[in-house]
Amino acid sequence: PAVGVRPDDLETLIDTVEDFTTRSDSSVILVDPIDPFVKANGFAITLQAVRILSDLAHSQHACLLVTVGAAALAPVDHEALERLLVEV
């Protein structure tokens, strides 16, 4: 089931994903879009949260999907996110 998390509550997002991935095999986590999280928390803090989510997904054999609006990030921020995640 889909779970909504307020954009300013990254801790709940991380806790929810951790709980979900530990209870489910081959989970898929969708953060769609990431833009409100960046607006509410700034890019650096959001990137740290995405890094934690990525590590959780990897350790639990889950798939993390993150969507980004075309104009939501500065080019340098988009590149930093690309280095962390595989673009599809």
Side-chain angles (χ1 to χ4, degrees):
V3 175
V5 176
R6 289 189 346 260
D8 63 342
D9 195 358
L10 291 173
E11 184 175 338
T12 296
L13 175 65
I14 292 166
D15 291 345
T16 301
V17 168
E18 183 174 29
D19 181 56
F20 176 71
T21 58
T22 56
R23 291 185 295 113
S24 306
D25 293 331
S26 302
S27 305
V28 176
I29 302 106
L30 175 62
V31 181
D32 179 40
I34 195 171
D35 313 17
F37 294 96
V38 172
K39 185 175 181 181
N41 304 287
F43 180 74
I45 291 171
T46 302
L47 185 63
Q48 289 174 350
V50 171
R51 185 172 286 116
I52 292 167
L53 295 176
S54 178
D55 291 346
L56 282 170
H58 180 74
S59 70
Q60 297 296 329
H61 306 287
C63 179
L64 174 64
L65 302 172
V66 178
T67 66
V68 180
L73 300 178
V76 67
D77 294 341
H78 196 272
E79 290 170 9
L81 192 59
E82 283 180 340
R83 285 191 297 274
L84 179 62
L85 305 171
V86 175
E87 187 171 4
V88 293

